[in-house]
């Protein structure tokens, strides 16, 4: 596990890379962080992927400075843009594909903000996408025609995604895109993330749920077995 400098069309950013033990090649996964950024939680998630036989890269989407990046990244997400953040994501994918330890098949996993970008990137050459409670406008009809297969996870009590799990499922069914969409009862936003602010988040009614998290990852790995192996 190491940090690299990732070349993108808009300059160099740092990215965290993790490789399974043993002999490859392996499929790859681009992991997209939430509003917290690249932290121990994202590195733990990369470790989970590595332990299941996937190369993982976590690009720092805020590498150009949090004060500058956060507003521009949010604007890009809400405008369904194809700007700097998407370029960074596709550069991370290209880095994995160029790695001789990669099979050439790559998925994208994202959380909250990163989940929204995972959906935006799902039509841009990935072999599968796995968004957790994706942020964004929820205009799935506009952004997902021609998408790769999607395995998505929502919380039924998520105030940021009211009714969006069933909506995503309807759109993917209409478009004939292979999918597994599940909305977990009794859980809300950020149920699969552990952050230093967990105690505060829980007061707000958000926070980690181990049972839903483990079920979501089991679904993801089963889905990836079909679409990446």
């Amino acid at each position: 596990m190491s940090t690299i400098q990732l070349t993108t069309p808009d300059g160099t950013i740092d990215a965290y890379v993790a490789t399974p033990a043993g002999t490859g090649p392996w499929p790859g996964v681009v992991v997209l962080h939430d509003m917290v950024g690249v932290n121990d939680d994202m590195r733990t998630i990369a470790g989970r992927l590595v332990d299941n036989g996937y190369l993982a890269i976590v690009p720092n989407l805020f590498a150009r400075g949090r004060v500058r990046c956060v507003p521009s990244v949010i604007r890009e997400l809400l405008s369904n843009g194809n700007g700097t953040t998407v370029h960074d994501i596709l550069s991370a994918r290209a880095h994995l594909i160029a790695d001789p330890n990669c099979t050439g098949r790559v998925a994208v996993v994202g959380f909250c903000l990163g989940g929204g970008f995972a959906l935006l990137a799902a039509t841009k050459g990935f072999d599968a996408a796995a968004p957790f409670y994706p942020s964004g406008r929820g205009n799935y009809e506009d952004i997902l025609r021609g998408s790769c297969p999607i395995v998505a996870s929502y919380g039924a009590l998520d105030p940021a995604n009211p009714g969006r799990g069933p909506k995503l499922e309807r759109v993917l069914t209409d478009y004939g895109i292979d999918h597994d969409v599940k909305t977990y009862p009794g859980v809300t936003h950020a149920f699969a993330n552990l952050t230093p602010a967990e105690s505060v988040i829980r007061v707000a009614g958000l926070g980690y749920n181990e049972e839903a998290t483990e079920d979501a990852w089991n679904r993801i790995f089963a889905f990836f077995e079909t679409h990446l192996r």
Side-chain angles (χ1 to χ4, degrees), residues 83-122:
T84 299
T85 306
V86 171
H87 296 166
D88 291 347
I89 294 165
L90 296 182
S91 296
R93 173 181 174 270
H95 177 85
L96 289 178
I97 290 173
D99 189 329
N101 285 319
C102 184
T103 63
R105 299 191 67 79
V106 179
V108 58
V109 174
F111 301 83
C112 183
L113 175 80
F117 276 104
L119 289 179
L120 284 182

mmCIF file of all heavy atoms in Angstrom, residues 83-122:
data_model
loop_
_atom_site.group_PDB
_atom_site.id
_atom_site.type_symbol
_atom_site.label_atom_id
_atom_site.label_comp_id
_atom_site.label_asym_id
_atom_site.label_seq_id
_atom_site.Cartn_x
_atom_site.Cartn_y
_atom_site.Cartn_z
ATOM 1 N N GLY A 83 -15.857 17.502 -16.124
ATOM 2 C CA GLY A 83 -14.730 18.370 -15.871
ATOM 3 C C GLY A 83 -13.606 17.699 -15.128
ATOM 4 O O GLY A 83 -13.340 16.500 -15.280
ATOM 5 N N THR A 84 -12.954 18.473 -14.271
ATOM 6 C CA THR A 84 -11.731 18.032 -13.606
ATOM 7 C C THR A 84 -11.912 16.760 -12.800
ATOM 8 O O THR A 84 -11.072 15.847 -12.854
ATOM 9 C CB THR A 84 -11.225 19.156 -12.683
ATOM 10 O OG1 THR A 84 -10.930 20.308 -13.477
ATOM 11 C CG2 THR A 84 -9.969 18.724 -11.940
ATOM 12 N N THR A 85 -13.009 16.662 -12.039
ATOM 13 C CA THR A 85 -13.195 15.488 -11.178
ATOM 14 C C THR A 85 -13.359 14.219 -12.002
ATOM 15 O O THR A 85 -12.757 13.186 -11.685
ATOM 16 C CB THR A 85 -14.419 15.689 -10.264
ATOM 17 O OG1 THR A 85 -14.265 16.917 -9.549
ATOM 18 C CG2 THR A 85 -14.542 14.544 -9.278
ATOM 19 N N VAL A 86 -14.162 14.285 -13.047
ATOM 20 C CA VAL A 86 -14.321 13.113 -13.909
ATOM 21 C C VAL A 86 -12.999 12.770 -14.580
ATOM 22 O O VAL A 86 -12.646 11.585 -14.718
ATOM 23 C CB VAL A 86 -15.437 13.350 -14.943
ATOM 24 C CG1 VAL A 86 -15.468 12.229 -15.978
ATOM 25 C CG2 VAL A 86 -16.794 13.459 -14.251
ATOM 26 N N HIS A 87 -12.232 13.789 -14.989
ATOM 27 C CA HIS A 87 -10.905 13.520 -15.560
ATOM 28 C C HIS A 87 -10.020 12.780 -14.559
ATOM 29 O O HIS A 87 -9.291 11.848 -14.924
ATOM 30 C CB HIS A 87 -10.224 14.831 -15.963
ATOM 31 C CG HIS A 87 -10.920 15.578 -17.048
ATOM 32 N ND1 HIS A 87 -10.640 16.889 -17.349
ATOM 33 C CD2 HIS A 87 -11.914 15.204 -17.901
ATOM 34 C CE1 HIS A 87 -11.408 17.293 -18.336
ATOM 35 N NE2 HIS A 87 -12.198 16.297 -18.681
ATOM 36 N N ASP A 88 -10.063 13.210 -13.291
ATOM 37 C CA ASP A 88 -9.269 12.535 -12.259
ATOM 38 C C ASP A 88 -9.687 11.071 -12.125
ATOM 39 O O ASP A 88 -8.834 10.174 -11.998
ATOM 40 C CB ASP A 88 -9.452 13.230 -10.914
ATOM 41 C CG ASP A 88 -8.824 14.623 -10.862
ATOM 42 O OD1 ASP A 88 -8.042 14.966 -11.770
ATOM 43 O OD2 ASP A 88 -9.126 15.357 -9.904
ATOM 44 N N ILE A 89 -10.989 10.832 -12.131
ATOM 45 C CA ILE A 89 -11.502 9.467 -11.979
ATOM 46 C C ILE A 89 -11.069 8.588 -13.149
ATOM 47 O O ILE A 89 -10.608 7.448 -12.954
ATOM 48 C CB ILE A 89 -13.034 9.497 -11.852
ATOM 49 C CG1 ILE A 89 -13.448 10.196 -10.545
ATOM 50 C CG2 ILE A 89 -13.622 8.088 -11.921
ATOM 51 C CD1 ILE A 89 -14.908 10.590 -10.506
ATOM 52 N N LEU A 90 -11.174 9.117 -14.347
ATOM 53 C CA LEU A 90 -10.794 8.336 -15.525
ATOM 54 C C LEU A 90 -9.277 8.138 -15.584
ATOM 55 O O LEU A 90 -8.805 7.111 -16.090
ATOM 56 C CB LEU A 90 -11.300 9.011 -16.787
ATOM 57 C CG LEU A 90 -12.829 9.100 -16.905
ATOM 58 C CD1 LEU A 90 -13.235 9.754 -18.223
ATOM 59 C CD2 LEU A 90 -13.481 7.725 -16.774
ATOM 60 N N SER A 91 -8.521 9.086 -15.040
ATOM 61 C CA SER A 91 -7.066 8.905 -14.965
ATOM 62 C C SER A 91 -6.704 7.794 -13.992
ATOM 63 O O SER A 91 -5.759 7.024 -14.233
ATOM 64 C CB SER A 91 -6.398 10.215 -14.544
ATOM 65 O OG SER A 91 -6.597 11.223 -15.514
ATOM 66 N N ALA A 92 -7.475 7.685 -12.894
ATOM 67 C CA ALA A 92 -7.248 6.586 -11.949
ATOM 68 C C ALA A 92 -7.554 5.245 -12.613
ATOM 69 O O ALA A 92 -6.822 4.260 -12.428
ATOM 70 C CB ALA A 92 -8.108 6.779 -10.709
ATOM 71 N N ARG A 93 -8.628 5.205 -13.381
ATOM 72 C CA ARG A 93 -8.959 3.979 -14.130
ATOM 73 C C ARG A 93 -7.835 3.632 -15.105
ATOM 74 O O ARG A 93 -7.406 2.473 -15.199
ATOM 75 C CB ARG A 93 -10.273 4.162 -14.873
ATOM 76 C CG ARG A 93 -10.635 3.017 -15.804
ATOM 77 C CD ARG A 93 -11.956 3.271 -16.531
ATOM 78 N NE ARG A 93 -12.215 2.240 -17.526
ATOM 79 C CZ ARG A 93 -11.803 2.320 -18.793
ATOM 80 N NH1 ARG A 93 -11.131 3.390 -19.218
ATOM 81 N NH2 ARG A 93 -12.064 1.332 -19.626
ATOM 82 N N ALA A 94 -7.340 4.640 -15.831
ATOM 83 C CA ALA A 94 -6.271 4.399 -16.801
ATOM 84 C C ALA A 94 -5.006 3.903 -16.112
ATOM 85 O O ALA A 94 -4.286 3.045 -16.648
ATOM 86 C CB ALA A 94 -5.987 5.682 -17.582
ATOM 87 N N HIS A 95 -4.733 4.411 -14.919
ATOM 88 C CA HIS A 95 -3.560 3.948 -14.174
ATOM 89 C C HIS A 95 -3.670 2.459 -13.854
ATOM 90 O O HIS A 95 -2.686 1.717 -14.001
ATOM 91 C CB HIS A 95 -3.430 4.752 -12.877
ATOM 92 C CG HIS A 95 -2.301 4.289 -12.009
ATOM 93 N ND1 HIS A 95 -1.006 4.728 -12.164
ATOM 94 C CD2 HIS A 95 -2.278 3.406 -10.971
ATOM 95 C CE1 HIS A 95 -0.232 4.137 -11.277
ATOM 96 N NE2 HIS A 95 -0.977 3.329 -10.537
ATOM 97 N N LEU A 96 -4.851 2.031 -13.439
ATOM 98 C CA LEU A 96 -5.024 0.607 -13.146
ATOM 99 C C LEU A 96 -4.877 -0.239 -14.408
ATOM 100 O O LEU A 96 -4.193 -1.274 -14.398
ATOM 101 C CB LEU A 96 -6.399 0.370 -12.525
ATOM 102 C CG LEU A 96 -6.610 0.891 -11.101
ATOM 103 C CD1 LEU A 96 -8.049 0.607 -10.656
ATOM 104 C CD2 LEU A 96 -5.631 0.257 -10.117
ATOM 105 N N ILE A 97 -5.493 0.186 -15.486
ATOM 106 C CA ILE A 97 -5.443 -0.595 -16.720
ATOM 107 C C ILE A 97 -4.004 -0.735 -17.222
ATOM 108 O O ILE A 97 -3.623 -1.771 -17.769
ATOM 109 C CB ILE A 97 -6.345 0.046 -17.783
ATOM 110 C CG1 ILE A 97 -7.820 -0.135 -17.388
ATOM 111 C CG2 ILE A 97 -6.105 -0.562 -19.166
ATOM 112 C CD1 ILE A 97 -8.789 0.598 -18.278
ATOM 113 N N ALA A 98 -3.206 0.313 -17.019
ATOM 114 C CA ALA A 98 -1.808 0.267 -17.473
ATOM 115 C C ALA A 98 -0.929 -0.599 -16.585
ATOM 116 O O ALA A 98 0.186 -0.963 -16.982
ATOM 117 C CB ALA A 98 -1.249 1.688 -17.524
ATOM 118 N N ASP A 99 -1.406 -0.945 -15.409
ATOM 119 C CA ASP A 99 -0.641 -1.778 -14.482
ATOM 120 C C ASP A 99 -0.642 -3.217 -14.987
ATOM 121 O O ASP A 99 -1.706 -3.801 -15.204
ATOM 122 C CB ASP A 99 -1.282 -1.700 -13.090
ATOM 123 C CG ASP A 99 -0.442 -2.357 -12.012
ATOM 124 O OD1 ASP A 99 0.283 -3.327 -12.298
ATOM 125 O OD2 ASP A 99 -0.539 -1.914 -10.853
ATOM 126 N N PRO A 100 0.526 -3.827 -15.186
ATOM 127 C CA PRO A 100 0.564 -5.216 -15.654
ATOM 128 C C PRO A 100 -0.096 -6.191 -14.685
ATOM 129 O O PRO A 100 -0.443 -7.318 -15.078
ATOM 130 C CB PRO A 100 2.057 -5.510 -15.810
ATOM 131 C CG PRO A 100 2.754 -4.465 -15.013
ATOM 132 C CD PRO A 100 1.880 -3.260 -15.044
ATOM 133 N N ASN A 101 -0.304 -5.774 -13.432
ATOM 134 C CA ASN A 101 -0.999 -6.621 -12.471
ATOM 135 C C ASN A 101 -2.514 -6.539 -12.594
ATOM 136 O O ASN A 101 -3.229 -7.204 -11.837
ATOM 137 C CB ASN A 101 -0.605 -6.231 -11.046
ATOM 138 C CG ASN A 101 0.784 -6.708 -10.684
ATOM 139 O OD1 ASN A 101 1.169 -7.823 -11.019
ATOM 140 N ND2 ASN A 101 1.547 -5.857 -10.020
ATOM 141 N N CYS A 102 -3.015 -5.723 -13.519
ATOM 142 C CA CYS A 102 -4.458 -5.575 -13.709
ATOM 143 C C CYS A 102 -4.920 -6.369 -14.919
ATOM 144 O O CYS A 102 -4.245 -6.403 -15.959
ATOM 145 C CB CYS A 102 -4.814 -4.104 -13.891
ATOM 146 S SG CYS A 102 -6.594 -3.780 -14.036
ATOM 147 N N THR A 103 -6.076 -6.988 -14.803
ATOM 148 C CA THR A 103 -6.640 -7.756 -15.916
ATOM 149 C C THR A 103 -7.186 -6.863 -17.015
ATOM 150 O O THR A 103 -7.477 -7.338 -18.110
ATOM 151 C CB THR A 103 -7.799 -8.644 -15.419
ATOM 152 O OG1 THR A 103 -8.849 -7.798 -14.914
ATOM 153 C CG2 THR A 103 -7.346 -9.610 -14.341
ATOM 154 N N GLY A 104 -7.341 -5.585 -16.719
ATOM 155 C CA GLY A 104 -7.946 -4.669 -17.682
ATOM 156 C C GLY A 104 -9.410 -4.404 -17.421
ATOM 157 O O GLY A 104 -10.009 -3.538 -18.055
ATOM 158 N N ARG A 105 -9.999 -5.129 -16.485
ATOM 159 C CA ARG A 105 -11.392 -4.894 -16.111
ATOM 160 C C ARG A 105 -11.405 -4.102 -14.804
ATOM 161 O O ARG A 105 -10.743 -4.487 -13.836
ATOM 162 C CB ARG A 105 -12.161 -6.205 -15.978
ATOM 163 C CG ARG A 105 -12.199 -6.997 -17.292
ATOM 164 C CD ARG A 105 -13.162 -8.161 -17.242
ATOM 165 N NE ARG A 105 -14.552 -7.727 -17.142
ATOM 166 C CZ ARG A 105 -15.279 -7.281 -18.167
ATOM 167 N NH1 ARG A 105 -14.748 -7.171 -19.383
ATOM 168 N NH2 ARG A 105 -16.544 -6.941 -17.996
ATOM 169 N N VAL A 106 -12.171 -3.004 -14.795
ATOM 170 C CA VAL A 106 -12.119 -2.064 -13.676
ATOM 171 C C VAL A 106 -13.521 -1.605 -13.304
ATOM 172 O O VAL A 106 -14.331 -1.269 -14.172
ATOM 173 C CB VAL A 106 -11.244 -0.835 -14.026
ATOM 174 C CG1 VAL A 106 -11.215 0.145 -12.856
ATOM 175 C CG2 VAL A 106 -9.834 -1.262 -14.402
ATOM 176 N N ALA A 107 -13.795 -1.586 -12.011
ATOM 177 C CA ALA A 107 -15.055 -1.064 -11.479
ATOM 178 C C ALA A 107 -14.791 0.231 -10.737
ATOM 179 O O ALA A 107 -13.648 0.589 -10.447
ATOM 180 C CB ALA A 107 -15.699 -2.084 -10.542
ATOM 181 N N VAL A 108 -15.883 0.931 -10.416
ATOM 182 C CA VAL A 108 -15.788 2.129 -9.599
ATOM 183 C C VAL A 108 -16.745 1.993 -8.420
ATOM 184 O O VAL A 108 -17.894 1.566 -8.591
ATOM 185 C CB VAL A 108 -16.075 3.400 -10.425
ATOM 186 C CG1 VAL A 108 -17.455 3.354 -11.072
ATOM 187 C CG2 VAL A 108 -15.916 4.660 -9.579
ATOM 188 N N VAL A 109 -16.254 2.315 -7.224
ATOM 189 C CA VAL A 109 -17.049 2.302 -6.000
ATOM 190 C C VAL A 109 -17.010 3.708 -5.419
ATOM 191 O O VAL A 109 -15.945 4.336 -5.398
ATOM 192 C CB VAL A 109 -16.481 1.305 -4.963
ATOM 193 C CG1 VAL A 109 -17.224 1.409 -3.637
ATOM 194 C CG2 VAL A 109 -16.545 -0.117 -5.493
ATOM 195 N N GLY A 110 -18.157 4.225 -4.952
ATOM 196 C CA GLY A 110 -18.154 5.564 -4.393
ATOM 197 C C GLY A 110 -19.147 5.725 -3.268
ATOM 198 O O GLY A 110 -20.146 5.003 -3.195
ATOM 199 N N PHE A 111 -18.877 6.702 -2.408
ATOM 200 C CA PHE A 111 -19.681 6.949 -1.211
ATOM 201 C C PHE A 111 -20.148 8.398 -1.197
ATOM 202 O O PHE A 111 -19.323 9.315 -1.295
ATOM 203 C CB PHE A 111 -18.852 6.654 0.039
ATOM 204 C CG PHE A 111 -18.343 5.242 0.088
ATOM 205 C CD1 PHE A 111 -17.182 4.888 -0.588
ATOM 206 C CD2 PHE A 111 -19.038 4.268 0.776
ATOM 207 C CE1 PHE A 111 -16.722 3.578 -0.574
ATOM 208 C CE2 PHE A 111 -18.587 2.953 0.798
ATOM 209 C CZ PHE A 111 -17.429 2.611 0.121
ATOM 210 N N CYS A 112 -21.465 8.591 -1.083
ATOM 211 C CA CYS A 112 -22.038 9.931 -0.992
ATOM 212 C C CYS A 112 -21.612 10.755 -2.214
ATOM 213 O O CYS A 112 -22.001 10.449 -3.329
ATOM 214 C CB CYS A 112 -21.636 10.583 0.328
ATOM 215 S SG CYS A 112 -22.331 12.211 0.621
ATOM 216 N N LEU A 113 -20.796 11.776 -2.036
ATOM 217 C CA LEU A 113 -20.263 12.549 -3.157
ATOM 218 C C LEU A 113 -19.621 11.619 -4.186
ATOM 219 O O LEU A 113 -19.880 11.716 -5.391
ATOM 220 C CB LEU A 113 -19.233 13.544 -2.635
ATOM 221 C CG LEU A 113 -18.479 14.364 -3.669
ATOM 222 C CD1 LEU A 113 -19.328 15.523 -4.156
ATOM 223 C CD2 LEU A 113 -17.161 14.878 -3.080
ATOM 224 N N GLY A 114 -18.776 10.703 -3.702
ATOM 225 C CA GLY A 114 -18.128 9.749 -4.598
ATOM 226 C C GLY A 114 -19.114 8.808 -5.258
ATOM 227 O O GLY A 114 -18.895 8.359 -6.387
ATOM 228 N N GLY A 115 -20.207 8.493 -4.554
ATOM 229 C CA GLY A 115 -21.239 7.662 -5.167
ATOM 230 C C GLY A 115 -21.906 8.354 -6.328
ATOM 231 O O GLY A 115 -22.218 7.731 -7.355
ATOM 232 N N GLY A 116 -22.138 9.668 -6.180
ATOM 233 C CA GLY A 116 -22.693 10.427 -7.291
ATOM 234 C C GLY A 116 -21.778 10.405 -8.492
ATOM 235 O O GLY A 116 -22.224 10.233 -9.638
ATOM 236 N N PHE A 117 -20.477 10.565 -8.255
ATOM 237 C CA PHE A 117 -19.530 10.515 -9.365
ATOM 238 C C PHE A 117 -19.386 9.102 -9.927
ATOM 239 O O PHE A 117 -19.096 8.935 -11.121
ATOM 240 C CB PHE A 117 -18.182 11.084 -8.942
ATOM 241 C CG PHE A 117 -18.125 12.575 -9.044
ATOM 242 C CD1 PHE A 117 -18.207 13.364 -7.910
ATOM 243 C CD2 PHE A 117 -18.027 13.202 -10.278
ATOM 244 C CE1 PHE A 117 -18.180 14.748 -7.992
ATOM 245 C CE2 PHE A 117 -17.998 14.584 -10.380
ATOM 246 C CZ PHE A 117 -18.076 15.369 -9.234
ATOM 247 N N ALA A 118 -19.579 8.077 -9.097
ATOM 248 C CA ALA A 118 -19.562 6.708 -9.619
ATOM 249 C C ALA A 118 -20.669 6.520 -10.653
ATOM 250 O O ALA A 118 -20.479 5.843 -11.668
ATOM 251 C CB ALA A 118 -19.716 5.707 -8.477
ATOM 252 N N LEU A 119 -21.837 7.125 -10.406
ATOM 253 C CA LEU A 119 -22.916 7.055 -11.391
ATOM 254 C C LEU A 119 -22.568 7.860 -12.640
ATOM 255 O O LEU A 119 -22.827 7.409 -13.766
ATOM 256 C CB LEU A 119 -24.224 7.551 -10.781
ATOM 257 C CG LEU A 119 -24.859 6.641 -9.734
ATOM 258 C CD1 LEU A 119 -26.141 7.273 -9.197
ATOM 259 C CD2 LEU A 119 -25.168 5.257 -10.300
ATOM 260 N N LEU A 120 -21.988 9.047 -12.474
ATOM 261 C CA LEU A 120 -21.604 9.838 -13.642
ATOM 262 C C LEU A 120 -20.556 9.110 -14.485
ATOM 263 O O LEU A 120 -20.548 9.232 -15.710
ATOM 264 C CB LEU A 120 -21.037 11.190 -13.209
ATOM 265 C CG LEU A 120 -22.025 12.259 -12.749
ATOM 266 C CD1 LEU A 120 -21.285 13.553 -12.417
ATOM 267 C CD2 LEU A 120 -23.087 12.516 -13.805
ATOM 268 N N ALA A 121 -19.676 8.345 -13.825
ATOM 269 C CA ALA A 121 -18.606 7.645 -14.534
ATOM 270 C C ALA A 121 -19.057 6.313 -15.116
ATOM 271 O O ALA A 121 -18.315 5.684 -15.877
ATOM 272 C CB ALA A 121 -17.417 7.417 -13.594
ATOM 273 N N ALA A 122 -20.271 5.888 -14.784
ATOM 274 C CA ALA A 122 -20.722 4.552 -15.170
ATOM 275 C C ALA A 122 -20.901 4.391 -16.680
ATOM 276 O O ALA A 122 -20.984 3.260 -17.170
ATOM 277 C CB ALA A 122 -22.041 4.226 -14.462
#
